[in-house]
Amino acid sequence: MAEKTGYERVKAARSADRPTGLDYVNYIFTDFVELHGDRRFGDDPAIVGGIARLNGRPVTVIAIEKGHTTRDRMARNFGMPHPEGYRKALRLMQQAEKFHRPVICFVDTAGAYCGIGAEERGQGQAIAENLVAMSGLKTPILSVLIGEGGSGGALALAVADRVWMLENAVYSVISPEGCASILWKDAARAEEAASCLKLTARDALAMGITEEVISEDQLGTPGFYDDLAFKLQESLKELEALTLDQLLDERYNRFRRIGKPE
């Protein structure tokens, strides 16, 4: 079978049949209690977060949720978070740090919402605050890109000790359509732009942006979720074996190494 092109991966990542963030939360974790609100403006349904157990271990889980049906997708703003969503995520991460719980994020967004209201409420600042806080958060962080990883909207939940991508997930500073519109004034050249952007999981692995590419052969099956849960447990054991100084130093060095040749 021929290797999928970058744009074919993009279309697979956007598929309505693909499991969403809440699917991962419901299948992998037990005793999930959702927590709402950023304590400043309101609650953003595009980001779901709370406390759960991973094989009995308390963790904080944060997921960008797109929804499955048209009605649900509209309610979730198609997985494009507002600033209050990122502030809610930050509140939950700081709470996790206080109570020594690891943080697990599931990322799937075309990008942060760029509407007037979101900009008025400080969208850029909310994302920037997450980047700064996550870089120094005193607890392990794992992020899994399960679909689209669009620009700062995805990065705001992906400054982590380990970043994994599903094989049809994508991670890019801009959508192929947006890139083609800017570079060539022609969104129809999105397939060409996708190739240039190097946005696939294999591209990210080669550049050191991600540590692991997760097979989608059994995507959505109980076996798939069981395997991912096991990987998460084992990775947390490795991270929790580090001292706090080692954890933060390794996180810092992880991002300093990105893009450097071996």
Side-chain angles (χ1 to χ4, degrees), residues 101-103 137-142 161 236 239-240 247 251:
R101 290 191 299 267
V103 176
L137 200 73
K138 297 174 182 176
T139 195
I141 313 170
L142 288 166
D161 301 294
L236 284 181
L239 294 172
E240 290 175 330
L247 180 74
R251 189 183 303 157

Side-chain angles (χ1 to χ4, degrees), residues 196-209:
C196 296
L197 286 168
K198 303 295 183 186
L199 43 62
T200 70
R202 295 295 175 190
D203 292 326
L205 183 66
M207 290 184 282
I209 295 169

Side-chain angles (χ1 to χ4, degrees), residues 97-185:
E97 179 184 56
K98 178 179 180 179
F99 293 102
H100 308 291
R101 290 191 299 267
V103 176
I104 300 173
C105 300
F106 295 96
V107 181
D108 183 14
T109 181
Y113 187 59
C114 57
I116 293 175
E119 297 298 334
E120 289 175 339
R121 296 194 299 278
Q123 185 71 285
Q125 181 180 359
I127 291 172
E129 287 174 346
N130 278 29
L131 304 183
V132 172
M134 292 182 79
S135 66
L137 200 73
K138 297 174 182 176
T139 195
I141 313 170
L142 288 166
S143 291
V144 186
L145 277 81
I146 59 174
E148 288 186 275
S151 193
L155 186 60
L157 293 182
V159 180
D161 301 294
R162 301 284 187 274
V163 178
W164 301 342
M165 291 178 68
L166 271 65
E167 65 178 329
N168 284 322
V170 293
Y171 202 10
S172 176
V173 69
I174 192 171
S175 70
E177 294 83 1
C179 178
S181 295
I182 292 170
L183 287 183
W184 303 303
K185 305 293 188 275

